[in-house]
Amino acid sequence: MLADPGTLELVIVVDGPERASVAALEELARDRPRLRPVPLAHVGHLAALEEGVRRARGEVVVLLDDDVLPAQGTIAGHAAHHRDRRGLVVAGAMPVAMRAGREAGLGTRLYAAEYDAHVAGLARGDCSLLDALWGGNVSMRRADCLRAGLRSIEFAASYHEDRDLGYRLADAGLVGRFDPLLGAVHLHERSDTAFLRDARRQGAGRRELHRVHGDRLGPFTPSQLVADLPRPLRIAVRLAGGTRAGGTVAAALMAAGRLAATA
C-alpha cells in the first residue's frame, strides 16, 4: 500500500489490546515514516475505523479490512474518483482469493459465492451501492466520513454494520459508486466453527437491521433467513434452528456440504 502513488500515509488501527501486533507495526514504522500504528483498547470494528479516520491527515480516506489486499494503483484510483466530485462513497472490488494448492473451506466458498452475487446485483442495478454496502474496500472524503459518523449509537449488532452504515451515509446525502477496476483480493479464511458462529451473528444482524431501519426494510420475520434455501432444507432449518439440536444439525449440514464438494 505504501508503494501506491496515491498513498499519503497508512494508518493501521489495532483494535486490541494486542501487544504483539503493535510491536511488529512499531518495528516496521521505524524506517517507514508514513506507517502510523494506532493501538486501542477494544472498541469494535467501526469505532476503530472512525478513530483511524480522526487521526488521518489526508482529504480522502480509504477504509480497508485487515484481510483485504489492494492491487497497486487502487489507492490512487480511489483518490481520483473524489478529485472532482464531493459527496461520494466509492467501493472497489474485493473477490475472495482462492489460494493455489489449498482447499478452501465450505464457509469461504459460500462467502465467495455470496460476494459474487452481490457484485452481479450491483451490475444489474438491482439496488444502489449504499442500500447494500459491503465494506472492506471503500473510500470517501474524510470530512464526509466524520460528519456522517462510522459507528452507530443505535445499531447494536456486530454483523451487517456495513449495511447499517450504508443506510446512514445515504441519509446524510452521500451517493454510492462502484468501480470494479479498484481491485483488491479478500484473503478470507474461516473454520467451520467460525463460519457457524458468523452465521448466528449474521442472523442477529439482519434482525437488528430491521429493528433500526424498519422504515426501509419492514418488519423482520425468521423466514427471511432461509428464503433462498431449497424447500426441504428450509423446513429442516426452521424446525431445528430454534431448538437445542440446532448446533448439531448445522454441523451435520456443514459436514454434508464438505462431502458434496469433494464428491
Side-chain angles (χ1 to χ4, degrees):
M1 282 180 269
L2 290 173
D4 192 302
T7 303
L8 172 69
E9 61 183 353
L10 176 58
V11 180
I12 300 182
V13 182
V14 182
D15 188 23
E18 180 51 65
R19 292 180 181 176
S21 293
V22 173
L25 289 169
E26 288 176 343
E27 177 68 24
L28 289 169
R30 288 179 183 175
D31 56 357
R32 296 170 178 84
R34 291 182 297 146
L35 173 59
R36 299 176 56 206
V38 178
L40 296 178
H42 180 64
V43 294
H45 182 204
L46 289 183
L49 277 177
E50 190 166 88
E51 182 60 28
V53 171
R54 250 188 228 103
R55 306 277 188 105
R57 294 179 289 223
E59 187 177 353
V60 173
V61 289
V62 182
L63 309 177
L64 296 165
D65 283 354
D66 60 359
D67 56 356
V68 172
L69 181 65
Q72 285 299 305
T74 288
I75 305 302
H78 272 288
H81 276 281
H82 299 278
R83 193 163 293 134
D84 300 318
R85 180 167 177 183
R86 296 183 175 273
L88 280 181
V89 178
V90 179
M94 41 176 255
V96 173
M98 296 299 181
R99 309 270 183 105
R102 292 184 61 178
E103 179 70 22
L106 180 60
T108 293
R109 293 198 296 273
L110 290 171
Y111 184 95
E114 186 177 0
Y115 180 76
D116 290 345
H118 162 74
V119 171
L122 290 176
R124 290 192 302 268
D126 294 348
C127 62
S128 72
L129 177 75
L130 295 184
D131 279 338
L133 185 62
W134 196 301
N137 180 14
V138 173
S139 67
M140 63 190 91
R141 286 182 179 270
R142 179 175 177 272
D144 288 336
C145 189
L146 293 176
R147 175 173 59 86
L150 291 182
R151 68 173 124 186
S152 171
I153 298 174
E154 191 171 0
F155 186 81
S158 61
Y159 208 100
H160 288 315
E161 288 178 309
D162 44 3
R163 288 277 302 276
D164 168 72
L165 174 61
Y167 297 147
R168 291 188 289 109
L169 293 174
D171 289 342
L174 277 67
V175 176
R177 178 184 292 176
F178 178 67
D179 184 351
L181 298 180
L182 302 180
V185 292
H186 190 175
L187 306 176
H188 182 282
E189 290 188 8
R190 291 290 187 279
S191 66
D192 287 356
T193 300
F195 176 74
L196 291 175
R197 185 170 59 245
D198 283 351
R200 292 184 67 88
R201 291 173 52 238
Q202 187 174 13
R206 179 82 70 86
R207 181 176 60 187
E208 183 72 356
L209 280 176
H210 282 261
R211 184 188 71 80
V212 176
H213 301 284
D215 55 334
R216 276 188 172 90
L217 302 173
F220 172 79
T221 60
S223 60
Q224 296 168 0
L225 301 178
V226 293
D228 58 342
L229 296 178
R231 189 169 184 274
L233 185 56
R234 185 165 66 241
I235 293 171
V237 172
R238 286 295 305 275
L239 290 175
T243 71
R244 291 183 178 181
T248 302
V249 171
L253 290 172
M254 292 287 288
R258 283 196 305 274
L259 289 173
T262 58

